[in-house]
Amino acid sequence: MYVVRAPGRVNLIGDHTDYQDGFCLPVAIDREVVVRAVARTDGIVVARSDALEGVVEIPADGFEDPRRVVPEWGRSVAGVLRLLSHPDRPAVGFDADVTSTVPVGSGLSSSAAFAVAFAILAGEVGGYTTSPRSVALIAQEAEQTATGVPCGVMDQIASVFGRAGHALLLDCGSLDIVPVPLPDSVAVVVVHTGLARRLEDSAYAERRAACEAAAARLGISTLRDATIDQVADDPIARHVVSENRRTLAFVDALVAGDLELCGGLMDESHASLRDDFRVSTPELDVLADALVGAGGYGARLTGAGFGGCAVALVPSEDVEEVVTRACSRYVSATGLTPMPLVVRAVDGAGPVD
Ligand code: GLA
């Protein structure tokens, strides 16, 4: 029996920067995808999930076109197998059972964790290893093919390289990762708005295209290299450039133990995502405000936006009161049912003994 786990992630700051070679600060969280598998002798991969309908059946050699696979959740598995396909990597079939504690469609990267788990599992069963960086890049490309959404690499890197007790400062230009310790005095709180993400896929691609167009106008390959002055009149590009600065400033403040400053930078990040990048929703705005009003250091939408979750940093000793107060404010203002999670930073994906 082979068992592989892969965690979801929450991003503390640095959103819509990864596909412009920028900086982000994700945390691999204690909500994870677990895949249990036994080898088959007929070269077929069969996958079942406790939460998703249907049975996926595809050849282990990557021959199946990922975009034709049904049920649709099998497409990223097919994408992973196709990208792994190589004469040096035995394509051994397996029977896989998927369970997950990452809420689906919440912006906590359940699908990235899923693809990462399968990329590692295929190697375990086939008796070969793939470098962690390749696992992340393969999972990213498989997800892009499966969904058509041109996602960046943050989610997969976080799932693969997570470190217990740490956030990861990721430089998406070089893929350098610096683990940054999270002090015990602070808790990471994630609250789901209770509203699924809307328009996310098409708007994500539009925002990414707008960033690429802005970089092209400036004659640079990505907005990583733009200055604040160059983008002063372009809200989309201004968000990316200012968010990179905030992310680096946040890391300095976290290392210095200045949690008030960290919180202020999260609030600024939310405002920039709302006003300049325009990926917030009224519910996310209410939730972020409620988390700060209830005693959080700071709060912001996390991930792509358009629904899903807000993340807050909260003094550990007050976490229960802050969550209760924030949720009750949110319920009164919206009538929706929020779902709070207090998350811990965990190690990245890998086989479980
Ligand atoms: C989604 C994508 C990531 C990243 C975030 C926004 O989660 O999968 O690559 O772009 O949105 O920061």
Side-chain angles (χ1 to χ4, degrees):
M1 167 82 92
Y2 301 89
V3 185
V4 172
R5 55 168 282 279
R9 66 98 189 93
V10 66
N11 188 28
L12 293 183
I13 194 163
D15 269 312
H16 291 283
T17 51
D18 63 347
Y19 50 78
Q20 288 295 307
D21 286 354
F23 297 96
C24 50
L25 190 69
V27 175
I29 59 173
D30 55 341
R31 300 294 188 282
E32 57 191 23
V33 171
V34 176
V35 189
R36 295 179 173 77
V38 288
R40 291 170 66 104
T41 51
D42 60 0
I44 304 290
V45 168
V46 179
R48 294 181 177 77
S49 148
D50 64 339
L52 303 163
E53 299 259 309
V55 179
V56 174
E57 247 188 271
I58 39 182
D61 61 10
F63 193 72
E64 182 75 50
D65 178 350
R67 285 160 306 184
R68 300 169 67 102
V69 171
V70 282
E72 280 189 26
W73 62 268
R75 292 181 181 179
S76 69
V77 182
V80 163
L81 296 174
R82 174 161 283 199
L83 291 161
L84 284 170
S85 159
H86 187 277
D88 293 344
R89 295 179 177 139
V92 178
F94 51 86
D95 267 308
D97 276 310
V98 183
T99 55
S100 174
T101 54
V102 193
V104 172
S106 60
L108 299 178
S109 298
S110 60
S111 56
F114 179 85
V116 163
F118 272 92
I120 296 173
L121 180 65
E124 289 289 302
V125 181
Y128 61 88
T129 47
T130 312
S131 74
R133 184 188 277 212
S134 300
V135 165
L137 293 171
I138 284 171
Q140 177 199 14
E141 195 178 335
E143 190 166 342
Q144 290 178 340
T145 311
T147 61
V149 179
C151 65
V153 77
M154 163 171 72
D155 308 345
Q156 295 80 7
I157 290 273
S159 184
V160 171
F161 288 94
R163 170 96 73 97
H166 292 71
L168 305 176
L169 173 61
L170 169 60
D171 176 338
C172 298
S174 61
L175 295 187
D176 285 345
I177 298 165
V178 180
V180 183
L182 289 165
D184 289 339
S185 58
V186 76
V188 177
V189 171
V190 179
V191 186
H192 194 291
T193 51
L195 271 192
R197 292 172 298 167
R198 280 162 299 166
L199 292 176
E200 190 218 349
D201 295 355
S202 56
Y204 185 93
E206 274 168 31
R207 295 297 189 283
R208 182 171 175 155
C211 291
E212 284 161 7
R217 279 196 297 277
L218 293 171
I220 50 182
S221 59
T222 66
L223 293 173
R224 158 74 171 260
D225 299 322
T227 64
I228 268 292
D229 293 339
Q230 282 177 309
V231 297
D233 300 325
D234 177 347
I236 292 285
R238 191 165 66 208
H239 163 73
V240 177
V241 176
S242 65
E243 185 79 350
N244 280 331
R245 287 187 167 192
R246 281 186 291 273
T247 303
L248 296 174
F250 182 101
V251 169
D252 288 344
L254 194 58
V255 170
D258 190 342
L259 297 168
E260 297 290 345
L261 181 52
C262 288
L265 289 161
M266 291 175 87
D267 298 345
E268 283 176 31
S269 168
H270 184 83
S272 177
L273 287 159
R274 179 190 62 211
D275 302 334
D276 278 359
F277 212 68
R278 291 181 293 107
V279 293
S280 191
T281 62
E283 294 79 16
L284 280 166
D285 297 343
V286 169
L287 186 53
D289 269 1
L291 283 159
V292 176
Y297 289 115
R300 55 188 288 282
L301 71 83
T302 183
F306 301 104
C309 293
V311 61
L313 283 189
V314 174
S316 295
E317 55 193 24
D318 302 336
V319 71
E320 274 164 39
E321 296 93 280
V322 172
V323 169
T324 310
R325 249 181 286 152
C327 287
S328 96
R329 284 182 195 205
Y330 180 74
V331 173
S332 325
T334 64
L336 294 164
T337 308
M339 185 182 71
L341 306 170
V342 179
V343 297
R344 263 185 326 110
V346 299
D347 283 334
V352 179
D353 297 328

